[in-house]
């Protein structure tokens, strides 16, 4: 039972990391807390479902198409809405939350209600790890999660755009002095965040169902991981995902599944009390030093 | 010019003749308003509203309802009270209920609140405005207790669907049938952490325990959970023979997929709302073969031995372009319109008290079986559709066919064990 819990705990942790990576990337670079993040997740899910079932595209085309389209939606969100509000944190939150709300409730209005909204697994079947059976889709989630983390590190450390991202994240004014276009990078950060969110949706949704309410849940999960790990810190996101993911699964196993949600809330409460910037965040310390 | 004159005369003549031809199928007069305040954003609510609309169209096409010698059409007014949505407080849902009563002046309410919590609190509003209500979704038997306790106040409230007490009866019956057929008596319970599911799980477990079943564990999942691996691992470790799931959230279908992929050697028999409809086979990639699922009222699935259920199921598909997908709500909602029509006609008018008195005398063969209300205004459910209303249990078979396996009075086949699972008797 311990091994089984460990295996499913790791899967749960990687799911949390995948869900939070995009949100964290956008915030880390542009400082924008994209509260439309959950809506982008659901948009991808329904989008892939429509392309599969209504348009008739195969999954290997529908999934990448929606990743690209969702990334474009993220960019559009910046160009149309956020560019006018840049720097006004509360307004950014209200605007993105409003857009997210509108998108999610529009799906409800259109009648996307029911149990048939599911995506087929990218990999079918199951494998055994000792006495523990694990479906291949969950195994794929772990592989995608690990690969994506590596690719993101390479991208931000060894590509021109990635270095520009980091430049803006470290000091926007200095980066601008060096010719890095702040608005363009912010737009790309929204696009990349949206793309990562869509990628997470494409690999995670086949083990669940697509529903409007999932949008709100995903936003909460992403926020929880980022708060515990430290907003803007990639290492923090990974560490927090594993802390929360394993704690949730072991709690479910040894105390009961209905206690799982409490774990997240207690973790947020503890972190905000003891270390408000999160495990690896720096914002609060910087503010205090200034 | 003369030729044109004859043309106009003929046209006007034909038009007048058209007005003079009696049209018995069209109802005239002030409409009789039926209000549908429920969670229309949820499948059961949406399909129940569809079923009400369909029945109203049929009644109106057949001439409407006879009120004091005049044929009047039914008119449906609906509102989404969102009581099933997570985080919506009961008082907010009740605002919607009161709003539709005040703004639309309905002569009756059908379908009604989705969650039992909203129904119990909403009973006082119904009592205040004295509008007959025939609920078809909320399942708490506590409403019957309230009616019996203060009949004069709450007599306007009826329920045409299954209640939790009868659901427990069907689940216990199913388990005993499984025990009789295969000798299984080791049970693991997995349920959603909401009032109705928790109570259903507790009472079913308690009754089975008294009958000699071993209850090996119970796992509650918060609404929205989509990983059931811990419960399934516990079921495997405790060497359970049957898992009893009780869920009404969209994510719960994943439980059966995980049961399949984790190769847990048990029967899966209970209620998982996403598994009820015909689309579940495709939605869950055909990974649900062997699972058994309760349908709260026949008609939501066609049952050959109840011809009215087949007729309704097919008519719904023709009208709305797809089959009924929920296992609870639409069929009794459809019946409710006809029950109400007969009650209004028997009462001879729209006086609420007279309609209530007529409803109490209802005895009708509907899509859900025989419809009669008991002293708590609950439709009586049983095992024989000729004697009472009926729920049933079906099993998913390879290829995506749903085969009714319980109760024996309407069963189409015996229960088949999934591969690798052997009877112990």
């Amino acid at each position: 039972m311990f091994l089984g819990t460990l295996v499913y705990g790791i899967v749960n942790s990687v799911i949390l990391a995948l869900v939070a990576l995009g949100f964290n990337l956008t915030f880390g670079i542009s400082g924008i807390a994209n509260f439309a993040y959950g809506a982008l997740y659901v948009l991808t899910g329904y989008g892939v479902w429509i392309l599969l079932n209504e348009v008739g595209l195969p999954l290997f085309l529908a999934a990448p198409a929606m990743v690209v389209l969702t990334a474009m939606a993220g960019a559009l969100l910046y160009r149309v809405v956020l560019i006018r509000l840049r720097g006004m944190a509360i307004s950014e939150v209200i605007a993105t939350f409003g857009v997210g709300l509108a998108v999610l409730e529009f799906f409800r209005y259109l009648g996307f209600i029911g149990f048939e909204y599911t995506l087929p697994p990218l990999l079918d079947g199951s494998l055994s790890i000792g006495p523990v059976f694990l479906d291949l889709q969950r195994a794929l989630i772990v592989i995608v999660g690990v690969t994506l983390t590596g690719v993101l590190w390479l991208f931000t450390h060894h590509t021109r755009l990635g270095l520009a991202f980091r430049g803006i994240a470290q000091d926007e004014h200095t980066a601008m002095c060096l010719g890095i276009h702040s608005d363009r990078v912010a737009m790309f950060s929204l696009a990349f965040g949206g793309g990562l969110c869509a990628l997470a949706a494409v690999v995670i949704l086949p083990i669940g169902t697509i529903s409007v309410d999932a949008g709100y849940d995903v936003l909460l999960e992403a926020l929880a991981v980022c708060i515990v790990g430290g907003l803007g810190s990639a290492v923090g996101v990974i560490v927090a995902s594993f802390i929360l993911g394993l704690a949730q699964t072991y709690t479910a196993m040894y105390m009961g599944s209905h206690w799982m949600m409490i774990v997240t809330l207690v973790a947020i409460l503890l972190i905000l009390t003891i270390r408000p910037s999160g495990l690896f965040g720096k914002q609060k310390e910087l503010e205090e030093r200034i | 010019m003369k030729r044109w004159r004859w043309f106009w005369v003929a046209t006007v003549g034909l038009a007048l003749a058209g007005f003079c031809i009696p049209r018995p199928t069209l109802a005239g007069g002030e409409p009789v308003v039926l209000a549908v305040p429920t969670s229309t954003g949820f499948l059961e609510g949406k399909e129940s509203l569809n079923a009400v609309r369909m029945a109203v169209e049929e009644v109106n096409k057949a001439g409407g309802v006879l009120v004091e010698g005049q044929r009047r059409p039914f008119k449906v007014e609906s509102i989404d009270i969102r009581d099933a949505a997570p985080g919506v407080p009961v008082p907010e849902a009740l605002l919607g209920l009161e709003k539709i009563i005040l703004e639309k002046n309905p002569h009756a309410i059908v379908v009604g609140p989705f969650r039992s919590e909203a129904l119990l609190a909403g009973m006082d509003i119904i009592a205040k405005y004295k509008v007959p209500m025939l609920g078809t979704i909320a399942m708490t038997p506590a409403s019957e207790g309230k009616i019996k306790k203060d009949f004069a106040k709450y007599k306007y409230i009826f329920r045409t669907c299954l209640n939790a007490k009868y659901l427990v009866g069907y689940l216990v019956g199913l388990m005993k049938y499984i025990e009789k057929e295969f000798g299984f008596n080791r049970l693991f319970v997995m349920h959603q952490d909401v009032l109705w599911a928790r109570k259903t799980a507790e009472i079913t477990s308690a009754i089975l325990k008294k009958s000699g079943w071993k209850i090996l564990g119970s796992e509650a999942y918060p609404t929205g959970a989509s990983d059931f691996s811990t419960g399934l691992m516990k079921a495997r470790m405790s060497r359970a023979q049957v898992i009893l799931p009780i869920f009404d959230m969209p994510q719960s279908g994943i439980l059966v997929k995980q049961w399949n992929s984790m190769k847990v050697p048990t029967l899966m028999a209970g209620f998982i709302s996403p598994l009820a409809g015909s689309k579940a086979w495709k939605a869950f990639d055909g990974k649900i073969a062997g699972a058994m699922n309760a349908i709260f009222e026949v008609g939501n699935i066609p049952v050959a031995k109840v011809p009215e259920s087949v007729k309704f199921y097919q008519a719904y598909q023709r009208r709305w372009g797809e089959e009924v997908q929920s296992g609870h709500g639409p069929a009794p909602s459809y019946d409710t319109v006809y029950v109400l029509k007969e009650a209004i006609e028997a009462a001879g008018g729209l006086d609420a008290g007279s309609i209530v008195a007529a409803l109490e005398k209802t005895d009708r063969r509907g899509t859900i079986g025989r419809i009669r209300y008991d002293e708590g205004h609950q439709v009586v459910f049983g095992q024989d559709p000729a004697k009472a209303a009926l729920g049933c249990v079906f099993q998913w078979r390879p290829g995506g066919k749903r085969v009714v396996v319980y109760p024996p009075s309407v069963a189409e086949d015996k229960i088949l064990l999934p591969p690798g699972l052997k009877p112990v008797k």
Side-chain angles (χ1 to χ4, degrees), chain B residues 176-232:
Chain B
K176 287 185 176 171
Y177 183 61
I178 289 171
E179 186 181 17
K180 188 179 133 216
E181 292 288 306
F182 308 111
F184 295 160
N185 66 354
R186 295 173 65 82
L187 184 75
F188 191 88
V189 184
M190 295 171 80
H191 65 86
Q192 197 173 331
D193 201 7
V194 289
L195 181 64
W196 80 270
R198 203 164 42 237
K199 283 285 164 204
T200 304
E202 281 170 15
I203 298 168
T204 308
S205 303
I207 295 172
L208 287 172
K209 200 173 176 183
K210 276 186 192 164
S211 310
W213 277 66
K214 292 179 184 69
I215 312 301
L216 304 164
S218 177
E219 191 78 355
Y221 284 89
T223 301
S226 59
D227 180 13
F228 303 91
S229 53
T230 51
L232 290 168

Side-chain angles (χ1 to χ4, degrees), chain B residues 245-267:
Chain B
I246 305 170
F247 291 91
D248 70 357
M249 61 188 189
Q251 298 84 351
S252 54
I254 300 307
L255 165 60
V256 183
K257 257 176 97 171
Q258 264 192 304
W259 163 72
N260 185 304
S261 64
M262 289 173 74
K263 302 185 196 308
V264 184
T266 58
L267 260 183

Side-chain angles (χ1 to χ4, degrees), chain A residues 138-158:
Chain A
R138 281 185 166 77
L140 178 71
I141 288 172
V142 176
I143 295 167
V144 170
V146 172
T147 311
L148 196 64
T149 310
V151 168
L152 267 180
W153 187 86
L154 287 173
F155 170 75
T156 49
H157 287 77
H158 296 284

Side-chain angles (χ1 to χ4, degrees), chain B residues 42-61:
Chain B
F42 281 70
L43 186 67
E44 287 85 352
K46 179 185 139 189
E47 291 194 338
S48 293
L49 176 59
N50 284 348
V52 167
R53 289 203 166 120
M54 192 175 99
V56 162
E57 284 166 11
E58 287 173 10
V59 169
N60 289 348
K61 203 175 166 191

Side-chain angles (χ1 to χ4, degrees), chain B residues 60 89 102 141 147 215 221 365 410 420:
Chain B
N60 289 348
L102 291 173
I147 293 166
I215 312 301
Y221 284 89
R365 281 298 295 265
V410 294

